[in-house]
Amino acid sequence: QLAGLAIIAFGLWLRFGGVMADFASDKKSPEYFFMGLYVLVGAGAVMSTVGFFGCCGAARESQCLLGTFFACLLVIFAAEITAGVFAFIGKKVAIQEAQKIYEDTYDDYMKNPGGKVNGTIYRYHLALQCCGKDTIEQQVGLPCPENIQMPKASNCLVEIQNVIDAYLHLVGIVGVAIAGTTVSKSMFSL
C-alpha cells in the first residue's frame, strides 16, 4: 500500500513539479512522456488498492483474499516489467518528440519574435538552463535567462536529451525498487 502511494506521489511530482511541469501547460507538450506518467499514477492507485485488500486478507487470515492478493501482485509485477521495457525502448522516441516540440517552438519564435510563443520558449530556456539550438550566434534575439552558464547555453536539444535521460533513469530505478518490493510482498502472502 505504501509502495503504491509512493508511486502515485512520484508520478504526480514528475507531472506537476520539477522541470517537466513547465511544459505541461503548453499546447505542444511531450504527450508520450506524460502518458507514461499517467500510467505510473494509475499503477500506483491499483497497487494501493491491492495492498489494502492484502491487509484485510492478512487481518482476517483469509486464504482466498491472500491468494487473490498474490495473483494481483503477480499481474502488477508483469505490468511493471512490461512498462519498464517499453520505457527504455521508447526513450529515444520521447527524446525526439520533445526535441521536435522545441524546434517547432524555436522556428515559430524566429518567424514572429513578439508572438505568443515568446513565453513558451523562455520557459524552455529557464527550465533547461540553455538558450538556442545550435550555435551561440543563433542566441541573438532569443529570450534567454540571465544566469545561465555559457557552455550549456548553446544547445537546448542536448539539454532536452539529458533531462529526459535523467528522468527516465530515475523512473527505471524506482520501478526496479518497486518491482522488488512487489515480489517480496507476494512471497510473504504465500
Side-chain angles (χ1 to χ4, degrees):
Q1 205 169 11
L2 292 176
L5 292 174
I7 289 176
I8 291 171
F10 182 69
L12 291 175
W13 174 76
L14 283 177
R15 172 61 175 86
F16 296 107
V19 174
M20 296 305 289
D22 290 335
F23 309 121
S25 60
D26 293 332
K27 289 182 204 173
K28 298 178 180 181
S29 60
E31 295 172 19
Y32 184 80
F33 182 77
F34 291 131
M35 196 63 127
L37 294 179
Y38 295 140
V39 170
L40 190 67
V41 170
V46 169
M47 282 181 65
S48 292
T49 305
V50 168
F52 175 74
F53 291 130
C55 288
C56 290
R60 296 199 174 265
E61 297 179 7
S62 168
Q63 289 183 350
C64 181
L65 277 175
L66 288 175
T68 304
F69 175 70
F70 173 77
C72 289
L73 284 182
L74 195 61
V75 170
I76 289 171
F77 177 73
E80 286 172 343
I81 297 298
T82 304
V85 168
F86 280 123
F88 285 114
I89 290 173
K91 180 171 70 169
K92 190 178 246 185
V93 174
I95 290 170
Q96 289 171 348
E97 182 181 334
Q99 287 175 335
K100 181 171 179 355
I101 290 168
Y102 176 79
E103 287 178 332
D104 291 345
T105 304
Y106 178 88
D107 293 340
D108 288 346
Y109 177 80
M110 289 311 225
K111 290 176 189 171
N112 184 11
K116 293 179 184 177
V117 79
N118 190 7
T120 302
I121 200 162
Y122 183 74
R123 278 196 298 274
Y124 268 100
H125 293 163
L126 188 61
L128 298 170
Q129 289 296 297
C130 64
C131 191
K133 65 178 189 175
D134 291 319
T135 61
I136 293 177
E137 288 80 26
Q138 289 185 341
Q139 293 178 15
V140 177
L142 285 175
C144 300
E146 297 168 4
N147 59 349
I148 60 173
Q149 300 169 354
M150 283 315 285
K152 270 178 92 171
S154 63
N155 199 338
C156 285
L157 298 178
V158 172
E159 288 304 313
I160 289 170
Q161 180 175 351
N162 293 342
V163 166
I164 291 178
D165 273 340
Y167 277 118
L168 285 181
H169 184 71
L170 188 60
V171 168
I173 290 171
V174 170
V176 167
I178 298 300
T181 304
T182 303
V183 168
S184 67
K185 299 308 174 207
S186 63
M187 292 304 140
F188 285 133
S189 73
L190 288 178

